[in-house]
């Protein structure tokens, strides 16, 4: 699932429910670093699990901090107490600005005074993100900083001899108008060297993204450092300041991540239940909480309390607004998406910093919004978005994400286009880049979202026993990011439950009652393969030959099949379903977008089953296995209800000579041509040809 090349979302018609937000990225990486620099041990709870925090944790470990994980996103960090434990290290920091900038400042100061040589590098995009203003602030202090690539950009080497002196008498000058992270980096690091005198930092140029400085100051205070402040221009670290661990600290939910769900509430939670967020609320120290005001200005109805937010639709369509979003640069991207659902243009200014983020976000947003049918004007520091002029102007678009988590999360908001009167599926390319801050974003979103069942695509894979359809279906579902239904497991569970309850395998009425009340639970992420029946894990018991035989008998009974029908339909949830069995394409999902029927030879299937049994240490005889398979095929074929046969429109796949990868590529190739997204694009292209020039 990790390398998912694309995720198709069907048109989504509504949303409601509760989301627990992952921890704030900005807070997580700041407190991880502060705990790593402080003396003693700090317990951090609800820390974000993501690419950006992982690189910080790895860096702390490399630098000799104690790093232990606990339950539920907790970490115990034993800090360095301001003394370097390791004097040379090469740190890879991915694309995490929140790791690169503060670690550069801290290690520059430590290398200069205690001696050492540290290299900081990241992914290619990190090497295009500026750090020159921070380097320019540190060099006059006496820090030796080598740019190993382009001057002003990572990778950097920070080095010095033990006993080096820092010039801290003069105020340190730093620019504030490119990224507030330079000031944050200095404020987080300077307490390392404040034993002798006050250290003043002066900000030149307008200070952008100021709320992030408030987070920095609030967290420094939690670690015992009271920075004195004169407006936005001068900050003083008092003499004698040193980090004091607060012992334990909770990270609040990410307010920027909250913005997507507030938007979902404003767009899609009509009438009844709102979208409720837990983990962040009115008591937040994060600047992006001010997104709530901007969303309200566009018409959202938002209620907040400590640790929670509820959003629902207010004004509809939303109102186009003009806003200076300097104070909420990250969450402002969400406003640009909400603009799709407004009754006029939305103009977002004060966002020059978008150009130096994970990607050039102004250019990226403009390109992708235009693909959807919006009209966009973009400038050096603003973007203006007018919604598609009519429902028919919405386009089924493949949205590129530029390895930018926020582009991917934003893109998903376009899937609610039915609420603007349109009806187009959406494709999000490389969706897994959300791992930077919200690895389960799409699962959380789709857990809230509703779609018309007919719009949720189904890929049916039917075939005889031991044809490898289970493996093929699971791999295909993983590649598409779809849910998985192993319908055989439902018949097997019915057979197993019958054995537990002493119900005869021909007692149709009682078996149907059993099937109708099966208490089955599938492991997280559906594809994990673990299954519980009445609270007992039965993953292995279901695979036993005896269970398969019982399943083959109960599955011939019409009342059992009827009882399991609704349960199977309930698996059809956004973004889509891969279902395997005998009658997925012919009976249960007759409208499946693609039906595959496997036709591996019985000799080959007996061979595979034989190998599988040997690998489990069970001895068997190929001739017996073959006879057994033939008998089951025959019973499945002959039965009156849902007999094993390809649906009229199924594509036959003889996988006797194919390995699993080849089978999966074949099925994915067929899917590429037949997916609802592809069909919508074809319709659009035809309509375009017919339209007058
Ligand atoms: O695919 P499997 O071996 O797990 O299936 C177990 C039995 O259930 C098999 O004998 C046929 C039956 N079955 C069915 O009748 N219809 C389905 N959709 C899936 C399985």
């Amino acid at each position: 699932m990790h390398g998912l090349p694309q995720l198709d979302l069907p048109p989504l018609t509504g949303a409601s429910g509760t989301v627990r937000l992952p921890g704030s990225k900005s807070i997580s990486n700041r407190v991880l670093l502060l705990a790593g620099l402080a003396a003693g041990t700090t317990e951090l709870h609800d820390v974000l699990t993501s690419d950006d925090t992982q690189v910080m944790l790895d860096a702390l470990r490399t630098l000799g901090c104690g790093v232990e994980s606990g339950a539920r996103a907790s970490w115990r960090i034993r800090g360095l107490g301001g003394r370097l434990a390791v004097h040379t290290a090469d740190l890879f920091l991915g694309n995490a600005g929140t790791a690169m900038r503060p670690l550069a400042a801290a290690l520059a100061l430590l290398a200069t005074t205690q001696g050492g040589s540290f290299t900081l590098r990241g992914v290619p995009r990190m090497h295009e993100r500026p750090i020159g203003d921070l380097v320019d602030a540190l060099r006059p202090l006496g820090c030796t900083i080598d740019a190993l690539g382009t001057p002003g950009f990572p990778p950097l080497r920070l080095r010095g001899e033990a006993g080096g002196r820092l010039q801290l008498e003069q105020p340190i000058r730093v620019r504030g108008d490119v990224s507030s992270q330079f000031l944050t980096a200095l404020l987080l690091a300077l307490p390392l060297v404040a034993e002798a005198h006050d250290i003043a930092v002066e900000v030149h140029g307008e200070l952008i993204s100021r709320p992030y400085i408030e987070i920095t100051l609030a967290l420094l205070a939690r670690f015992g450092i009271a920075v004195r402040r004169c407006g936005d221009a001068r900050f003083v670290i008092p003499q004698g300041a040193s980090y004091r661990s607060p012992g334990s600290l909770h990270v609040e939910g990410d307010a920027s991540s909250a913005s997507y769900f507030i938007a979902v509430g404003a767009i899609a939670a009509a009438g009844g239940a709102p979208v409720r967020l837990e983990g962040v609320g009115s008591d937040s120290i994060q600047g992006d909480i001010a997104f709530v005001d901007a969303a309200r200005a566009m018409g959202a109805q938002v209620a907040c309390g400590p640790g929670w937010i509820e959003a629902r639709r207010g004004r509809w369509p939303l109102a186009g607004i003009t806003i200076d979003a300097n104070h909420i640069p990250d969450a402002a991207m969400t406003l640009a998406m909400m603009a799709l659902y407004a009754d006029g243009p939305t103009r977002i200014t004060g966002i020059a910093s978008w150009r130096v983020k994970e990607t050039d976000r102004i250019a990226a947003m403009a390109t992708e919004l235009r693909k959807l049918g919006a009209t966009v004007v973009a400038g050096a520091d603003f973007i203006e978005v007018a919604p598609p002029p009519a429902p028919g102007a919405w386009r089924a678009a493949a949205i590129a994400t530029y390895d930018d988590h926020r582009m991917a999360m934003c893109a998903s908001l376009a899937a609610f286009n039915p609420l603007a009167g349109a009806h187009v599926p959406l494709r999000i390319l490389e969706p897994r880049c959300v791992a930077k801050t919200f690895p389960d974003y799409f699962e959380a979103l789709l857990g809230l979202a509703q779609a018309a069942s007919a719009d949720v695509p189904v890929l049916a894979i039917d075939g005889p026993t031991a044809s490898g359809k289970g493996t093929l279906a699971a791999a295909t579902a993983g590649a598409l990011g779809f849910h998985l239904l192993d319908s055989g497991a439902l018949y097997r569970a019915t057979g197993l439950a019958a054995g537990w309850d002493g119900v005869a395998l021909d007692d149709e009425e009682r078996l149907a009652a059993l099937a109708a009340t099966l208490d089955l639970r599938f492991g997280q992420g559906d594809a994990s393969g673990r299954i519980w029946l009445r609270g007992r894990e039965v993953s292995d018991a279901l695979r036993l030959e005896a269970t398969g035989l019982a399943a083959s008998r109960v599955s011939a009974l019409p009342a059992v099949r009827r009882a399991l029908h609704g349960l199977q339909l309930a698996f059809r949830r956004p973004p889509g379903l891969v279902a395997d069995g005998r009658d997925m394409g012919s009976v249960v999902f007759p409208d499946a977008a693609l039906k595959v029927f496997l036709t591996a030879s019985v000799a080959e299937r007996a061979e595979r089953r034989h190998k599988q049994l040997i690998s489990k240490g069970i001895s068997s005889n190929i001739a017996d296995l073959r006879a057994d398979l033939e008998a089951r095929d025959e019973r499945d074929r002959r039965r009156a209800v849902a007999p094993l046969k390809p649906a009229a429109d199924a594509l036959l796949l003889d996988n006797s000579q194919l390995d699993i990868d080849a089978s999966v590529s074949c099925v994915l190739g067929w899917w590429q041509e037949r997916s609802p997204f592809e069909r919508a694009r074809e319709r659009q292209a035809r309509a375009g040809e017919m339209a007058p020039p």
Side-chain angles (χ1 to χ4, degrees):
M1 180 101 169
H2 195 77
L4 199 63
Q6 66 192 39
L7 177 66
D8 286 359
L9 297 180
L12 300 173
T13 54
S16 64
T18 300
V19 174
R20 171 120 210 127
L21 288 168
S24 150
K25 174 184 73 163
S26 305
I27 297 179
S28 293
N29 264 357
R30 281 171 176 77
V31 296
L32 283 170
L33 180 67
L34 287 168
L37 297 176
T41 298
T42 311
E43 287 204 15
L44 301 171
H45 302 283
D46 297 324
V47 175
L48 172 66
T49 305
S50 73
D51 294 348
D52 279 12
T53 49
Q54 193 56 52
V55 294
M56 180 62 97
L57 285 162
D58 291 345
L60 294 182
R61 223 179 256 122
T62 306
L63 293 171
C65 299
V67 176
E68 272 173 49
S69 73
R72 272 202 59 233
S74 292
W75 292 91
R76 278 170 66 86
I77 308 291
R78 189 173 28 77
L80 299 174
R83 301 292 314 164
L84 280 173
V86 167
H87 291 263
T88 43
D90 191 343
L91 303 178
F92 174 77
L93 302 172
N95 197 6
T98 55
M100 177 63 77
R101 279 77 180 248
L103 277 168
L107 291 172
L109 298 176
L110 290 171
T112 308
T113 51
Q114 297 175 29
S117 172
F118 299 94
T119 310
L120 306 188
R121 57 181 90 246
V123 298
R125 174 64 186 167
M126 188 77 244
H127 297 171
E128 294 168 8
R129 296 178 65 186
I131 198 165
D133 293 336
L134 179 61
V135 171
D136 290 346
L138 288 164
R139 278 193 179 134
L141 312 186
C143 298
T144 307
I145 302 175
D146 311 318
L148 303 180
T150 313
F153 298 85
L156 298 179
R157 187 186 301 115
L158 318 160
R159 59 190 166 86
E161 303 294 329
R165 267 187 43 78
L166 288 164
Q167 309 293 321
L168 298 166
E169 295 75 15
Q170 299 301 316
I172 300 169
R173 294 163 59 96
V174 66
R175 274 179 62 176
D177 55 355
V178 173
S179 167
S180 67
Q181 282 181 4
F182 304 142
L183 175 58
T184 278
L186 291 170
L187 293 174
L188 290 175
L190 285 167
L192 284 167
V193 293
E195 61 280 353
H197 31 69
D198 287 358
I199 306 176
V201 182
E202 280 179 9
V203 179
H204 287 251
E206 188 203 357
L207 178 59
I208 62 163
S209 314
R210 205 181 61 205
Y212 286 100
I213 299 302
E214 309 295 344
I215 298 182
T216 303
L217 297 177
L219 296 175
L220 277 165
R222 293 294 302 276
F223 279 80
I225 292 162
V227 176
R228 289 200 304 273
R229 161 179 199 174
C230 308
D232 286 344
R234 191 179 161 86
F235 298 81
V236 179
I237 313 278
Q239 180 201 345
S242 77
Y243 311 103
R244 267 198 328 273
S245 165
S248 101
L249 193 146
H250 277 267
V251 175
E252 57 179 79
D254 195 289
S256 317
S257 300
S259 70
Y260 309 108
F261 294 97
I262 295 169
V264 168
I267 295 164
V275 170
R276 183 180 166 91
L277 297 175
E278 290 180 353
V280 67
S282 51
D283 51 348
S284 175
I285 61 166
Q286 299 167 72
D288 269 359
I289 197 70
F291 172 81
V292 167
D293 299 325
R296 282 184 181 135
M298 291 190 79
Q301 245 186 52
V302 188
C304 303
W308 64 268
I309 299 173
E310 282 185 4
R312 45 163 67 83
R313 236 196 219 189
R315 184 186 199 281
W316 191 257
L318 296 174
I321 59 170
T322 294
I323 181 172
D324 178 346
N326 182 357
H327 61 305
I328 49 167
D330 285 353
M333 294 173 74
T334 311
L335 298 174
M337 295 305 297
M338 290 171 75
L340 289 168
Y341 300 93
D343 56 5
T346 291
R347 187 179 168 89
I348 305 169
T349 62
I351 51 167
S353 66
W354 279 21
R355 296 218 179 259
V356 295
K357 297 286 175 129
E358 281 79 343
T359 185
D360 176 342
R361 287 176 169 169
I362 292 185
M365 264 292 171
T367 306
E368 303 310 314
L369 283 165
R370 284 181 191 128
K371 284 187 194 166
L372 287 162
T375 306
V376 183
V377 184
D381 62 351
F382 78 91
I383 191 166
E384 187 171 310
V385 183
W394 280 78
R395 290 279 160 266
I399 303 294
T401 51
Y402 308 81
D403 201 18
D404 182 347
H405 54 137
R406 298 206 185 286
M407 286 301 294
M409 293 190 276
C410 277
S412 67
L413 297 175
F416 291 96
N417 61 76
L419 299 161
H423 191 92
V424 292
L426 178 76
R427 175 164 288 175
I428 302 177
L429 302 174
E430 309 292 346
R432 285 291 147 204
C433 61
V434 296
K436 190 165 202 280
T437 50
F438 200 156
D440 297 331
Y441 174 74
F442 290 105
E443 289 76 2
L445 175 76
L446 292 167
L448 303 177
Q450 292 132 27
S453 173
D455 284 334
V456 178
V458 177
L459 194 170
I461 301 181
D462 289 305
T465 198
S467 57
K469 62 188 178 328
T471 317
L472 174 60
T476 308
L480 295 172
F482 280 11
H483 299 285
L484 176 66
L485 165 61
D486 165 11
S487 61
L490 306 185
Y491 292 97
R492 288 168 178 266
T494 307
L496 193 62
W500 289 357
D501 294 1
V503 177
L505 293 180
D506 56 1
D507 185 341
E508 184 162 0
E509 201 176 321
R510 286 188 65 200
L511 289 169
L514 264 184
T517 55
L518 268 189
D519 174 15
L520 261 191
R521 193 160 58 78
F522 291 83
Q524 239 187 4
D526 296 3
S528 71
R530 291 173 62 188
I531 303 179
W532 290 261
L533 176 60
R534 298 180 186 164
R536 270 166 68 179
E537 197 189 332
V538 293
S539 320
D540 290 334
L542 286 186
R543 306 243 175 286
L544 295 175
E545 287 301 293
T547 313
L549 282 173
S552 170
R553 291 190 55 189
V554 303
S555 66
L557 305 171
V560 171
R561 300 200 78 85
R562 276 198 302 278
L564 291 176
H565 194 83
L567 189 53
Q568 297 175 74
L569 296 182
F571 278 78
R572 187 173 193 172
R573 294 190 308 265
L577 175 67
V578 177
D580 80 76
R582 302 293 186 286
D583 60 344
M584 295 298 98
S586 54
V587 176
V588 181
F589 301 108
D591 63 339
L594 171 63
K595 301 174 187 177
V596 178
F597 194 87
L598 295 177
T599 60
S601 69
V602 74
E604 182 60 32
R605 289 188 284 132
E607 186 74 34
R608 285 182 194 162
R609 179 60 53 93
H610 183 61
K611 283 197 190 129
Q612 193 183 30
L613 291 172
I614 289 175
S615 73
K616 288 189 193 157
I618 304 170
S619 65
S620 65
N621 166 314
I622 295 208
D624 289 352
L625 284 173
R626 184 176 169 146
D628 186 42
L629 289 179
E630 279 175 330
R632 273 168 71 186
D633 283 358
E634 197 46 30
R635 187 166 34 227
D636 289 348
R637 251 194 304 267
R638 264 202 338 252
R639 69 186 181 212
V641 280
L644 173 65
K645 67 165 197 301
D649 48 350
L651 300 183
L652 303 186
L653 176 63
D654 183 342
N655 67 353
S656 307
Q657 306 302 324
L658 299 180
D659 65 10
I660 180 68
D661 288 345
S663 303
V664 173
S665 336
C666 172
V667 171
L668 290 176
W670 286 341
W671 182 255
Q672 280 306 349
E673 292 161 16
R674 286 167 185 77
S675 69
F677 181 80
E678 223 33 72
R679 293 262 144 98
R681 298 266 279 208
E682 281 162 17
R683 273 196 304 277
Q684 255 167 227
R686 276 198 305 273
E689 276 162 25
M690 286 181 316

